Amino acid sequence: MRVSDLPLPDEVIAHHESEGITELYPPQAAAVEAGITGGTNVVVAVPTASGKTFVAELAMLTAGGPALYIVPLRALAREKYETFSEVPGVDVGIATGDLGSAEELGGSDVVVATAEKVDSAIRSGASWVDDLACVVVDEVHLLGSQGRGPTLEVTMATLGRRAPDVQIVALSATVANPEEIAEWLDAELVRSRWRPVDLRTGVCAGGRVDFDDGSTLAVAVDAEADDRGVGTATTVELVRGAIDDGGQCLAFVRSRREAETLAARLAEESVGAASAVAADVRDAGGTDTGRRLADCVEGSVAFHHAGLRSEHRAIVENAFRDRRLKCICATPTLAAGVNVPARRVVIRDQQRYTGSGMEWLPVLEVHQMCGRAGRPHLDPYGEAVLVAGDADREELESRYVGAAPEAVESQLADREALRTHVLAIVASGFAESRGGVLDVLDATFYAHGRPEESLAGLVDDVVSDLVAWEMLTTGEGLAATELGTAVSRQYVAPRTGARIVDGLRTMRGMERVTGLTALEIVCDTPDMHGTYLGNRERAAMYQYARSHADEFTTSMGETETFERWLEAVKTARILLEWADGASTDDLVEQYRIGPGDLESRVERAEWLLGAAAAVAAVLDADGSAFREVRDRL
């Protein structure tokens, strides 16, 4: 099937043909045959780089009205915004900013937004939602994610109620149960293993890679020199081999420190040079982490993890896409959707520490990493290699190479998530009774195929919590209180709202209320990212907490989770010193956090302090401490 045969404007067809796109890939043609250009709901479950974005574009440009493209990550939103903005005659908007706001997003032909942003807009009653003709959900397999899944699921269900005739297009990596997702969405299923670039996957052990296509590759590494069995020397040799062959490489390891260490070692191997990119990194910020990154980039190697500033991550991603970097050493988060394909992907570590011990990575996550191998129009093939460090070849082959990815399972039964969404359903006017709430949730992936009573008991439990926190009332039906409405509109979790209320009530009897008081409250909530507290700093942080006890709303002897609270005190202390003018460099060095961690916590603190001030106004309490420290931040 040719692009010129599609029902697209002439200038759009000419745009794609000018980029050499004249024929549709088989999965794209299958999507057209399934009705993607005729308003049919479609689920597309195909490998990475198989043309899902073009399928989305087809749906959005033929839907006959405004379109919404939902992504899981801000970095992915920016990438898709830039891609769609290149299409002639299409006005594209992007919405990924302040989590607490839900400004009008209408007026564009296509809006690219995170699921959280769309959920916030729905809660605020944004009128543009009713006008949507097409909604594309990228990475829909993240329905199974504990963090993002419930919000994505409820957002999709409520979008269907607000715009019942909207076309839903769901894009996914290959998963075990795409039929179930398609059945839930009343959609046609396009399922394929086709890739534009052939991918071979193998395991490296004993100086040899055995690929799944029967081929082998010798890797000249002395097993005794391979860093005590963890596979670093093998990884270095695999990366160098790909680069010497004219390709680029991604190397995945389990931790930030490992990513930086591997990048530094590869940079010393003289695999290339990228002085101009290194200059860009230095110009973007002068933290010690940034300087280490720039030093690695000089050798055409970068590291990539959540501790980097967002600007540094963007420089690395763009330079790699432009082929100005030879290698990125990354934690698995890089594989979550950002488009950085490479000739070869090396997965050195297949386990990570989860707080209770080392656990194997999910099959789907490893397949996502492997799927980054093979650059369309640049590589004749892609290679993904799992390094057998402490594991053996047979175990990795059976666990990952020949295994099917896990099924997507709803996470909506999580009590924390369900509280949030039940409150939002009532506060937004979608339901006025227990039955009404169940009716809304009946459209979720969780409810699909389950008896109603399996959800009813969970709803009763969370309604009881929300009534106890004075956010819902149960009279003749269900109604949100003024407090409950404010908590939902500010887009904070109900337990966060309850913690803020407790803090405000405690503040009324305190003699000393400071910016630290306000920060302790918002940092001691589930919506604030935790900050690691090392053994060496625990005693010092304990002394800090004791010396500032009169500024805290929590008594050290009464907290149920002292370690979690002490971590919150550390976060509050860092933010207060930032507000008082401490440099990023000093804070990063003193508190062992990354500049990206500081960046994200400042942003979250601004949002949560604003939410706390709004809650204070509802309670007719003094919220000046929250406003003042927010201004200083």
Side-chain angles (χ1 to χ4, degrees), residues 281-612:
V281 171
R282 293 188 178 98
D283 289 343
T287 66
D288 188 50
T289 305
R291 286 188 285 272
R292 292 197 303 274
L293 176 62
D295 289 344
C296 290
V297 169
E298 287 282 1
S300 201
V301 181
F303 54 83
H304 187 292
H305 55 63
L308 284 177
R309 291 184 56 211
S310 56
E311 191 173 356
H312 281 152
R313 291 198 299 270
I315 290 171
V316 168
E317 292 160 13
N318 290 331
F320 192 79
R321 278 194 288 266
D322 293 341
R323 304 179 71 188
R324 294 189 292 157
L325 290 176
K326 298 293 187 182
C327 178
I328 296 178
C329 303
T331 53
T333 52
L334 182 64
V338 181
N339 180 31
V340 282
R343 167 77 60 81
R344 178 179 290 168
V345 168
V346 181
I347 305 173
R348 195 199 68 182
D349 303 325
Q350 302 87 35
Q351 297 184 61
R352 64 171 161 234
Y353 184 72
T354 61
S356 58
M358 299 300 293
E359 293 187 7
W360 290 101
L361 296 176
V363 177
L364 177 58
E365 193 169 332
V366 171
H367 285 193
Q368 292 261 101
M369 289 186 256
C370 293
R372 297 293 162 198
R375 302 166 301 177
H377 313 300
L378 292 175
D379 290 327
Y381 57 85
E383 289 180 345
V385 181
L386 283 71
V387 176
D390 295 328
D392 59 33
R393 183 190 303 276
E394 290 74 20
E395 181 171 21
L396 292 182
E397 286 177 342
S398 62
R399 182 178 290 275
Y400 294 117
V401 179
E406 299 84 1
V408 175
E409 297 183 2
S410 171
Q411 302 298 313
L412 187 59
D414 175 76
R415 191 159 177 158
E416 191 81 56
L418 196 57
R419 283 192 204 109
T420 295
H421 295 295
V422 168
L423 178 60
I425 287 167
V426 178
S428 302
F430 283 112
E432 298 177 346
S433 65
R434 173 182 180 274
V437 171
L438 288 171
D439 183 49
V440 173
L441 294 177
D442 187 56
T444 62
F445 187 52
Y446 178 87
H448 177 71
R450 284 187 173 92
E452 183 176 319
E453 54 267 22
S454 68
L455 188 59
L458 294 171
V459 169
D460 288 342
D461 289 343
V462 301
V463 166
S464 296
D465 293 339
L466 295 168
V467 169
W469 290 338
E470 302 173 21
M471 296 179 194
L472 288 183
T473 60
T474 54
E476 296 181 359
L478 285 180
T481 64
E482 189 179 1
L483 171 63
T485 300
V487 167
S488 183
R489 288 287 178 90
Q490 293 298 318
Y491 207 73
V492 296
R495 191 153 61 92
T496 291
R499 174 65 180 95
I500 291 169
V501 170
D502 286 345
L504 285 164
R505 289 172 176 165
T506 303
M507 283 167 61
R508 288 172 176 164
M510 292 173 58
E511 294 184 4
R512 190 176 181 210
V513 174
T514 66
L516 185 60
T517 309
L519 287 167
E520 180 247 351
I521 291 171
V522 300
C523 291
D524 189 28
T525 67
D527 281 312
M528 175 56 78
H529 292 151
T531 303
Y532 175 73
L533 185 65
N535 290 326
R536 288 180 293 175
E537 59 184 340
R538 183 172 282 102
M541 202 59 61
Y542 177 81
Q543 289 302 321
Y544 178 85
R546 285 192 63 183
S547 64
H548 291 271
D550 61 339
E551 297 174 72
F552 294 139
T553 61
T554 300
S555 171
M556 293 176 66
E558 295 177 3
T559 177
E560 295 180 4
T561 52
F562 180 75
E563 288 297 313
R564 171 68 181 85
W565 178 75
L566 203 59
E567 290 175 1
V569 169
K570 176 181 176 179
T571 307
R573 181 180 184 180
I574 292 169
L575 291 169
L576 184 66
E577 292 184 16
W578 168 261
D580 287 340
S583 71
T584 299
D585 246 0
D586 289 344
L587 294 173
V588 165
E589 180 178 355
Q590 182 175 352
Y591 295 109
R592 300 170 63 200
I593 62 171
D597 299 321
L598 177 60
E599 187 179 75
S600 68
R601 281 153 185 75
V602 168
E603 182 181 17
R604 283 194 165 256
E606 290 177 359
W607 159 47
L608 291 170
L609 290 165

Side-chain angles (χ1 to χ4, degrees), residues 121-263:
I122 291 171
R123 294 189 197 189
S124 300
S127 60
W128 60 269
V129 174
D130 302 330
D131 300 326
L132 289 172
C134 178
V135 173
V136 178
V137 183
D138 202 355
E139 309 282 344
V140 76
H141 52 270
L142 289 175
L143 286 167
S145 164
Q146 287 187 333
R148 296 187 175 95
T151 295
L152 177 59
E153 182 175 347
V154 174
T155 297
M156 293 173 71
T158 50
L159 277 171
R161 293 178 71 89
R162 287 286 298 274
D165 296 326
V166 71
Q167 178 187 16
I168 301 290
V169 176
L171 310 177
S172 174
T174 50
V175 293
N177 59 334
E179 299 93 346
E180 190 176 354
I181 298 173
E183 186 178 300
W184 168 51
L185 295 173
D186 190 23
E188 296 294 319
L189 174 62
V190 174
R191 185 179 193 178
S192 174
R193 294 183 178 274
W194 184 90
R195 285 174 48 97
V197 178
D198 287 337
L199 172 65
R200 57 179 185 173
T201 304
V203 175
C204 185
R208 186 187 79 248
V209 183
D210 287 351
F211 288 106
D212 55 0
D213 64 355
S215 62
T216 62
L217 175 70
V219 182
V221 176
D222 181 353
E224 293 184 3
D226 202 3
D227 301 292
R228 299 180 302 280
V230 298
T232 298
T234 296
T235 301
V236 169
E237 191 62 31
L238 285 165
V239 171
R240 185 162 46 195
I243 293 171
D244 289 347
D245 197 35
Q248 293 170 284
C249 194
L250 296 176
F252 289 103
V253 293
R254 66 170 58 98
S255 70
R256 299 178 184 186
R257 184 177 65 181
E258 297 279 6
E260 295 192 23
T261 300
L262 180 60

Side-chain angles (χ1 to χ4, degrees), residues 1-6 13 16-29 32 50-51 54 58 194 196 377:
M1 186 178 294
R2 298 183 63 82
V3 171
S4 58
D5 297 328
L6 298 171
I13 292 173
H16 288 300
E17 289 181 338
S18 70
E19 295 186 333
I21 303 172
T22 58
E23 295 279 346
L24 268 63
Y25 289 156
Q28 295 169 337
V32 173
S50 297
F54 186 69
L58 282 178
W194 184 90
H377 313 300

